């Protein structure tokens, strides 16, 4: 029986304010609060709130047969807490439903898997903890930023304890193979993979409201009939997309909500079910392995990482922020830790993309995005180096901090010993007093 696996990405970065050269060293606040609030509230009203109501209605109306998975970045969750608590509450309500699953990703929707192993591990743990604190669930399936995947990344993910992961079904990787099966990592066969079906996903995310598309208008019965007409052996259809497809990328007036609401009915008509990722991984074996020596993603025709690291601007910005990673991890300043996370969001590097026009960029050009980001990063580096000077190399710094921590532990142990001795002496004095009174 064919099954559809819906997964939605939800992410919003903390966009940077106009930060000029003369702000460096003088102003340590980097964010455009007005723009961030305006964008988040608008998307919450157009997408998150009505889409969550729709998902709940689809689950109830289908006899609890409709199922869906979400991956919400830590920065998006923080903005929900600040700007739209009602949106967060609506996700909490969905989290109570068995038909809804939450996935783990990098906390800041970062590119850490491409350049900083320790940071990648720390962000994955932080994201898992955030999901548990807000929704009371511990995700078991991993999804990397922008579905970025490679053999090396699969090793990291497996080492973090995951047995399953989502990624892109890129043609240059699959070749003649179909994405409509469960696969496994070539270097870690124990790690199972679900691959995005690009055609059926793009029909909804990119082509749904395209008047020039030869299949316009797309209807739920037509869409489910297409899936039903695929070869019988192909059983798993992974429809991965941005949640903003519902109401934001395709406005409500396009009929996108009505289209989705009708999917369970026509799925049942065609003998098609819905499944959460973890259900598919539990019930299905991998039919083959997939080898990905170079990182791939779900963006652009190339399905590679050039949208974030394809030019010298992006590469230099990425090199500079990774250069101070060890010092930031040693730092205990809460504001520095927070800024560090926000500055790693992949969006900042995407805005520097020179491949094509970026509709969502707040900047006039990629060069403007680079200059603004590097000004902010320059100030941030000054703050980090004020605590851990660059004149001290990383090994020496680690050694000094280890010595300090060991001394702190020794002091605590000595304080405990002193406390025990004081209690013992106090008890002895009490006994001596009692003995003296007894004799008298």
């Amino acid at each position: 029986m064919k099954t559809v696996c819906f997964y939605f990405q939800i992410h919003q970065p903390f966009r940077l304010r106009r930060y000029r050269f003369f702000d460096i060293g003088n102003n340590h606040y980097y964010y455009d609060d007005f723009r961030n609030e305006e964008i988040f509230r608008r998307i919450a009203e157009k997408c998150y709130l009505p889409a969550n109501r729709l998902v709940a209605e689809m689950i109830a109306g289908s006899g609890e047969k409709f199922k869906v998975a979400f991956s919400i970045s830590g920065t998006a969750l923080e903005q929900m807490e600040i700007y739209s608590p009602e949106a967060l509450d609506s996700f909490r309500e969905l989290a109570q439903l068995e038909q809804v699953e939450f996935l783990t990703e990098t906390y800041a929707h970062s590119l850490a898997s491409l350049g900083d192993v320790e940071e990648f591990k720390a962000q994955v743990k932080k994201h898992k903890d955030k999901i548990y604190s807000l929704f009371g669930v511990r995700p078991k399936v991993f999804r990397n930023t922008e579905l970025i995947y490679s053999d090396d990344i699969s090793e990291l993910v497996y080492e973090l304890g995951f047995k399953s992961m989502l990624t892109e079904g890129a043609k240059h990787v699959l070749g003649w193979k179909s994405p409509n099966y469960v696969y496994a990592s070539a270097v870690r066969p124990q790690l199972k993979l679900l691959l995005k079906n690009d055609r059926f996903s793009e029909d909804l995310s990119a082509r749904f409201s395209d008047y020039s598309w030869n299949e316009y208008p797309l209807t739920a019965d037509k869409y489910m009939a297409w899936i039903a007409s695929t070869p019988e052996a192909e059983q798993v259809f992974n429809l991965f997309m941005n949640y903003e497809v519902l109401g934001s990328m395709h406005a409500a007036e396009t009929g996108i909500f009505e289209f989705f609401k009708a999917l369970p009915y026509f799925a049942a008509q065609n003998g098609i079910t819905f499944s959460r990722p973890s259900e598919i991984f539990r019930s299905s074996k991998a039919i083959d392995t997939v080898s990905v020596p170079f990182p791939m993603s779900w963006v652009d025709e190339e399905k590679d990482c050039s949208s974030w690291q394809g030019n010298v601007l992006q590469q230099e910005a990425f090199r500079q922020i990774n250069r101070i990673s060890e010092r930031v991890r040693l730092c205990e300043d809460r504001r520095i830790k927070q800024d560090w996370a926000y500055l790693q969001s992949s969006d900042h590097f995407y805005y520097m993309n020179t491949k094509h026009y970026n509709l969502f960029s707040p900047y006039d050009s990629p060069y403007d995005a680079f200059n603004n980001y590097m000004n902010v990063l320059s100030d941030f580096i000054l703050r980090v180096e004020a605590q851990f000077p660059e004149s001290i190399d990383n090994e020496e710094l680690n050694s000094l901090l280890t010595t300090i921590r060991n001394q702190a532990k020794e002091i605590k142990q000595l304080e405990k010993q002193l406390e025990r001795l004081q209690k013992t002496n106090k008890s002895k004095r009490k006994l001596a007093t009692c003995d003296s009174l007894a004799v008298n």
Side-chain angles (χ1 to χ4, degrees):
M1 182 178 285
K2 297 183 186 297
T3 193
V4 168
C5 177
F6 267 115
Y7 145 72
F8 292 107
Q9 166 188 288
I10 299 166
H11 166 63
Q12 289 296 326
F14 280 90
R15 295 163 190 81
L16 304 176
R17 70 178 180 86
R18 181 66 62 180
Y19 195 89
R20 304 187 185 282
F21 176 79
F22 296 104
D23 290 325
I24 299 172
N26 297 312
N27 190 327
H28 304 318
Y29 193 76
Y30 309 137
Y31 312 106
D32 189 338
D33 292 333
F34 178 81
R35 183 190 290 267
N36 287 325
E37 180 174 3
E38 186 273 326
I39 290 174
F40 199 91
R41 285 185 178 277
R42 172 161 43 85
I43 293 174
E45 289 298 322
K46 287 187 174 183
C47 172
Y48 304 152
L49 292 167
N52 284 357
R53 286 194 295 270
L54 175 67
V55 168
E57 290 171 7
M58 291 172 71
I59 291 170
S62 64
E64 301 184 341
K65 292 179 181 178
F66 180 72
K67 298 174 183 180
V68 67
F70 294 104
S71 179
I72 314 177
S73 71
T75 54
L77 290 168
E78 285 190 30
Q79 289 191 56
M80 279 187 209
E81 292 175 305
I82 300 168
Y83 304 131
S84 184
E86 62 274 24
L88 183 59
D89 288 341
S90 69
F91 278 108
R92 282 197 176 107
E93 290 172 8
L94 289 181
Q96 304 303 311
L97 303 176
E98 187 181 344
Q99 294 76 20
V100 176
E101 179 170 4
F102 288 88
L103 312 181
T104 294
E105 65 159 277
T106 55
Y107 187 89
H109 200 75
S110 76
L111 303 173
S113 61
L114 299 176
D116 191 334
V117 171
E118 293 306 313
E119 180 62 22
F120 175 72
K121 292 178 179 178
Q123 284 201 30
V124 172
K125 181 182 182 304
K126 185 178 180 182
H127 187 264
K128 283 179 71 175
D129 292 343
K130 185 73 171 179
I131 293 293
Y132 181 75
S133 69
L134 291 176
F135 306 122
V137 295
R138 293 197 181 278
K140 297 179 180 178
V141 178
F142 184 74
R143 170 262 178 194
N144 198 15
T145 304
E146 306 296 342
L147 294 187
I148 291 172
Y149 177 87
S150 70
D151 292 339
D152 290 341
I153 291 171
S154 73
E155 285 267 21
L156 293 176
V157 173
Y158 183 79
E159 288 171 8
L160 287 169
F162 292 96
K163 301 292 178 63
S164 48
M165 182 175 178
L166 310 186
T167 187
E168 171 64 36
K171 291 178 183 177
H172 72 272
V173 170
L174 286 176
W176 57 269
K177 297 176 183 176
S178 166
N180 304 327
Y181 298 93
V182 177
Y183 289 90
S185 162
V187 294
R188 281 291 185 183
Q190 306 94 323
L191 182 73
K192 291 182 179 180
L193 304 172
L194 284 183
L195 309 183
K196 174 191 165 196
N197 183 302
D198 199 56
R199 176 215 159 171
F200 287 120
S201 297
E202 294 297 308
D203 283 347
L204 300 186
S205 62
R207 292 183 280 271
F208 180 82
S209 58
D210 181 1
Y211 293 100
S212 65
W213 183 31
N214 63 344
E215 295 292 349
Y216 181 89
L218 181 61
T219 59
D221 56 337
K222 183 197 294 187
Y223 188 72
M224 282 301 169
W226 286 348
I227 293 177
S229 66
T230 56
E232 187 177 346
E234 297 183 5
Q235 298 292 306
V236 181
F237 294 82
N238 303 307
L239 308 182
F240 301 166
M241 62 199 75
N242 197 309
Y243 203 33
E244 291 171 33
V245 163
L246 291 165
S248 185
M249 294 170 68
H250 301 302
E253 294 76 20
T254 65
I256 189 70
F257 288 103
E258 289 77 11
F259 171 87
F260 265 83
K261 193 170 184 177
L263 287 177
Y265 175 80
F266 289 105
Q269 292 283 305
N270 287 279
I272 299 170
T273 64
F274 295 92
S275 299
R276 292 177 289 115
S278 57
E279 288 180 306
I280 297 172
F281 286 124
R282 278 199 306 270
S283 61
S284 305
K285 292 183 179 180
I287 66 159
D288 200 356
T289 60
V290 176
S291 178
V292 187
F294 304 103
M296 66 175 177
S297 75
W298 70 348
V299 172
D300 295 337
E301 188 67 29
E302 299 88 351
K303 305 297 182 186
D304 59 13
C305 295
S306 59
S307 288
W308 304 277
Q309 294 193 324
N311 63 44
V312 293
L313 305 178
Q314 296 165 314
Q315 292 159 11
E316 175 62 12
F318 192 63
R319 187 184 71 81
Q320 288 295 333
I321 195 167
N322 283 320
R323 180 173 66 83
I324 56 168
S325 59
E326 283 195 48
R327 281 169 158 70
V328 174
R329 278 192 288 276
L330 294 170
C331 183
E332 295 183 0
D333 186 309
R334 185 187 65 81
R335 282 294 302 277
I336 284 180
K337 291 280 193 184
Q338 185 182 59
D339 291 338
W340 168 250
Y342 296 169
L343 289 175
Q344 288 195 73
S345 290
S346 62
D347 309 71
H348 302 307
F349 303 92
Y350 192 71
Y351 299 148
M352 303 174 200
N353 189 344
T354 53
K355 288 172 62 179
H356 47 67
Y357 175 70
N358 188 341
L359 180 65
F360 302 104
S361 175
Y363 301 98
D364 295 331
S365 72
Y367 309 98
D368 189 28
F370 174 76
N371 288 333
N372 201 66
Y373 183 80
M374 294 306 289
N375 284 343
V376 169
L377 188 58
S378 296
D379 183 80
F380 181 73
I381 290 172
L382 287 176
R383 290 164 59 202
V384 173
E385 290 179 352
Q387 297 199 22
F388 304 109
E390 197 172 21
S391 57
I392 306 174
D393 63 37
N394 287 334
E395 277 191 36
E396 186 180 354
L397 190 58
N398 277 317
S399 176
L400 286 169
L401 288 170
T402 301
T403 301
I404 291 168
R405 290 189 186 113
N406 289 339
Q407 287 176 342
K409 287 180 183 177
E410 284 183 39
I411 290 169
K412 284 184 179 178
Q413 289 173 351
L414 290 170
E415 285 175 345
K416 287 179 180 178
Q417 288 179 12
L418 180 62
E419 191 177 343
R420 283 198 297 270
L421 286 171
Q422 287 174 338
K423 286 181 179 178
T424 303
N425 290 335
K426 191 174 181 180
S427 299
K428 286 180 179 179
R429 284 197 296 271
K430 281 185 177 179
L431 286 171
T433 301
C434 290
D435 289 341
S436 175
L437 290 171
V439 169
N440 292 333

